Amino acid sequence: MKKTLYIKAAVFLLLSLLLPVCSQVLAGQKTHTVFFEGEDNELHVYRINGSKPGKTLLIVGGIQGDEPGGFLAADFYADFLLEKGNLIVVPRANFPSILKKERQINQDMNRKFLDDDISNYEARVVNVLKKLICESDCFINLHEGSGIYSNKWESEYKSPQRFGQSIIADDSFLKKQDPKENVNLKEMAQKVIEKINRHIKDKEYFFHFNNHKTDHPDSIHKEQLKSATYYAHNVCKIPAFGIESAKSLPLEQKVRQHIYAINAFMEILGIIPQTPGIDLKKPEMQYMIISVNNSIPVVVGKMQHLKIHRGDIVEILDIVANYERGLSVDVIGLGNQFNDMKKKLIINEPTRIVAKKDFYKCGSVFLDIDTKSLKQEPQLTLSESGDTLILRYKLKINGNLKIVDNYSHVNIRKGDKFVIEDILAGKVDPSKYIVNFKGFVGNLHNNGGEDRGYLIDTSKDVLMERYSLGKKGRHYYVLTTLNGKEVGKIFIDIQL
Ligand SMILES: [Zn+2]
């Protein structure tokens, strides 16, 4: 037992030594680091660096799991992009307590920042948070507080002991070594409070500055010596605040108040968001949701095969991708030229469904025709390769399907109507390839070279002779490339 503990400690030490290197973020980028991956207390840290350098604000939510106003607000900032300055966002510091909707599991995580030798997951998370705090220029810890804070006793519910609707600091000033660098915490908090209160109609719910005077002998909040903000104040010497929305308010209002507070702190620190943030990640489909003969929909992953029977009615109900908008599907050889989503299509031949985000192809699934088994529920076969490891071409000549091998010759007559329906490409998603009939332009508006799905009517002068071999208009070829490299070819010989 002890041995594994030592190993774990050594691994953690190693990780923490490596971390500053791994998490180096270039300007204008963001990184997502996962600590304790696979454990219940998995910790997600998002670092967002603006294109221009500036101050770093650390936003922590969910250090106590029963305060959703804080972690739901922090969550929005994990996806931010910045023009200037930096954010470190830890939306869910204490995930196990969030799952239980409880303040704590073993111990209150926000009382473990002073000497504490109890070893548990809370301690390990706190160790990470301590490092993040000292890396930052300012730290805000997002909470929900019970009752409403008031500097005089008004009622059991509204008093100096209460936390709700306040911005808490451990003192009114942060004293630095050089007194000229002292930070007026009260003034900073007041600026933020003024911005939050603009959105609050009922004066009873106005935010106030709540000075805990944590290390004063007469402090009524001595337990706060063990808190994250006091660690920031006392050890890292950075301005740190607890933002407390009143627990009794509606969730949306609590989240909004936190958002007003975060935005105001960003403004004070000169951290400027990109509006809107631009993150042009490569479109990738994860899966399609398909119903066969009005059955309960099945989920079919990228490159998976769905076995159906000839004549089945297939309807693609939805696709899930790393984008939500601009999505469509194209059932090769069926449907219309735009979008085949939510259309009931009768499938008589094996085909492929291509998912698209705008005009970018982002994944395929296959519809295979099962001729052996009896008509029953559609079967999802998990084989990713299908039975075709070699590149083959699925052609339609005058309406008749023809499958031909790579590098073979296809004889047609002038006047034939010719379509390259698709390629069968084994393990690789066929939409990653470009299949180009040299001498034919499929898409007149945007000639990317892709010619699958276009009718090539050889009775008309749609082929450019100068692209034919020998330039006589008799021998053409179809070139298939993957990432710009030739992977296959077929030769089209036309009898005039
Ligand atoms: Zn709290």
Side-chain angles (χ1 to χ4, degrees):
M1 276 307 276
K2 234 177 181 165
K3 201 170 179 184
T4 52
L5 208 77
Y6 282 132
I7 293 168
K8 272 189 181 171
V11 168
F12 180 72
L13 204 75
L14 192 72
L15 279 176
S16 40
L17 286 171
L18 285 171
L19 203 87
V21 184
C22 300
S23 56
Q24 283 259 315
V25 192
L26 294 171
Q29 289 194 345
K30 60 180 186 182
T31 60
H32 172 201
T33 314
V34 185
F35 293 84
F36 320 118
E37 194 168 354
E39 294 177 36
D40 296 334
N41 55 294
E42 206 167 78
L43 184 72
H44 294 253
V45 177
Y46 300 83
R47 291 159 191 274
I48 301 133
N49 286 28
S51 9
K52 290 181 204 143
K55 296 233 160 108
T56 300
L57 172 66
L58 170 64
I59 304 169
V60 171
I63 200 164
Q64 291 141 342
D66 57 347
E67 301 174 11
F71 62 78
L72 292 177
D75 223 13
F76 289 108
Y77 293 82
D79 294 324
F80 251 50
L81 288 172
L82 298 173
E83 201 74 56
K84 183 172 186 282
N86 318 299
L87 290 177
I88 303 176
V89 187
V90 184
R92 292 171 180 80
N94 192 346
F95 196 42
S97 74
I98 289 171
L99 296 177
K100 294 273 180 207
K101 207 188 177 195
E102 280 166 14
R103 182 178 176 87
Q104 64 189 66
I105 302 293
N106 303 306
Q107 272 182 293
D108 187 339
M109 193 183 276
N110 202 27
R111 302 287 181 268
K112 276 183 76 73
F113 285 77
L114 199 67
D115 303 329
D116 178 307
D117 50 14
I118 302 168
S119 153
N120 45 25
Y121 85 80
E122 289 90 340
R124 297 192 293 141
V125 170
V126 164
N127 275 331
V128 176
L129 294 178
K130 279 179 173 175
K131 290 195 188 76
L132 299 177
I133 293 170
C134 282
E135 269 179 53
S136 306
D137 299 301
C138 181
F139 164 46
I140 51 178
N141 204 355
L142 310 182
H143 292 266
E144 287 185 19
S146 62
I148 290 183
Y149 167 76
S150 168
N151 58 0
K152 331 183 263 293
W153 195 93
E154 289 178 43
S155 68
E156 185 56 39
Y157 179 72
K158 201 169 185 186
S159 75
Q161 276 80 18
R162 296 298 190 168
F163 283 48
Q165 303 300 85
S166 74
I167 291 188
I168 299 168
D170 293 283
D171 210 335
S172 52
F173 275 90
L174 170 69
K175 292 190 179 81
K176 296 271 208 172
Q177 243 172 6
D178 178 357
K180 273 183 248 155
E181 285 176 16
N182 285 356
V183 184
N184 189 334
L185 299 174
K186 183 178 180 179
E187 197 181 274
M188 233 175 130
Q190 291 292 9
K191 277 188 196 163
V192 174
I193 287 164
E194 196 258 318
K195 291 213 159 113
I196 304 172
N197 287 349
R198 277 185 213 167
H199 301 277
I200 297 174
K201 287 192 192 103
D202 185 350
K203 265 188 149 184
E204 288 296 302
Y205 285 92
F206 270 9
F207 265 66
H208 293 282
F209 178 59
N210 182 355
N211 182 357
H212 272 180
K213 299 179 185 158
T214 307
D215 57 9
H216 291 216
D218 57 347
S219 172
I220 58 167
H221 295 291
K222 288 207 172 68
E223 79 286 354
Q224 297 292 333
L225 288 168
K226 302 174 188 170
S227 71
T229 51
Y230 187 71
Y231 181 85
H233 183 90
N234 188 47
V235 178
C236 309
K237 303 279 181 205
I238 61 164
F241 303 89
I243 318 291
E244 301 273 357
S245 270
K247 268 199 167 87
S248 58
L249 292 173
L251 180 61
E252 192 179 321
Q253 195 178 336
K254 291 187 278 195
V255 173
R256 281 198 187 285
Q257 288 179 170
H258 279 296
I259 286 173
Y260 297 136
I262 297 167
N263 290 347
F265 274 107
M266 285 175 65
E267 203 182 318
I268 290 172
L269 295 164
I271 301 170
I272 305 168
Q274 268 188 19
T275 46
I278 299 174
D279 182 10
L280 296 174
K281 51 190 180 285
K282 189 174 168 236
E284 290 285 350
M285 178 198 82
Q286 277 107 45
Y287 49 84
M288 282 184 199
I289 297 164
I290 301 174
S291 168
V292 181
N293 299 326
N294 293 316
S295 68
I296 295 165
V298 287
V299 171
V300 188
K302 193 172 184 174
M303 294 302 285
Q304 287 187 332
H305 292 244
L306 183 66
K307 248 185 202 155
I308 57 166
H309 292 88
R310 204 172 297 281
D312 278 351
I313 297 163
V314 165
E315 184 180 6
I316 300 115
L317 297 171
D318 205 355
I319 58 181
V320 174
N322 56 350
Y323 285 86
E324 276 180 34
R325 292 181 291 276
L327 301 174
S328 72
V329 291
D330 182 16
V331 181
I332 307 277
L334 285 170
N336 72 16
Q337 59 165 317
F338 296 109
N339 190 358
D340 297 326
M341 185 81 82
K342 292 189 178 119
K343 293 200 174 87
K344 291 190 162 75
L345 300 170
I346 300 167
I347 310 294
N348 285 313
E349 288 165 14
T351 186
R352 177 163 65 93
I353 309 168
V354 181
K356 284 164 53 171
K357 190 259 164 187
D358 303 321
F359 47 71
Y360 302 99
K361 289 167 186 166
C362 63
S364 294
V365 307
F366 301 86
L367 294 177
D368 295 345
I369 302 285
D370 187 352
T371 49
K372 290 178 200 116
S373 75
L374 292 167
K375 245 188 187 330
Q376 44 166 288
E377 298 214 322
Q379 281 182 330
L380 185 62
T381 54
L382 289 173
S383 84
E384 308 249 310
S385 61
D387 48 6
T388 47
L389 286 162
I390 314 155
L391 191 71
R392 288 195 286 173
Y393 292 77
K394 186 178 167 191
L395 310 175
K396 223 167 210 177
I397 304 166
N398 299 327
N400 300 315
L401 186 72
K402 193 174 169 133
I403 308 273
V404 302
D405 289 333
N406 204 9
Y407 295 106
S408 62
H409 284 257
V410 180
N411 290 305
I412 60 170
R413 289 165 185 278
K414 185 164 169 73
D416 282 349
K417 291 179 173 60
F418 182 85
V419 180
I420 308 161
E421 281 222 320
D422 203 0
I423 52 168
L424 309 168
K427 278 187 178 170
V428 183
D429 186 339
S431 67
K432 303 270 189 230
Y433 293 82
I434 290 175
V435 183
N436 184 359
F437 192 121
K438 290 287 177 184
F440 173 77
V441 179
N443 188 341
L444 293 168
H445 308 288
N446 173 23
N447 185 17
E450 177 56 63
D451 293 322
R452 273 174 288 183
Y454 291 96
L455 177 73
I456 304 170
D457 183 348
T458 59
S459 69
K460 296 180 182 149
D461 287 326
V462 292
L463 298 177
M464 292 176 277
E465 273 188 16
R466 63 194 157 92
Y467 284 94
S468 64
L469 303 162
K471 303 191 179 175
K472 298 234 168 68
R474 290 198 55 192
H475 304 288
Y476 290 88
Y477 66 98
V478 177
L479 178 70
T480 302
T481 53
L482 180 65
N483 303 322
K485 283 189 194 123
E486 175 178 335
V487 290
K489 219 179 230 178
I490 50 168
F491 302 92
I492 312 296
D493 301 326
I494 303 178
Q495 254 188 303
L496 297 174

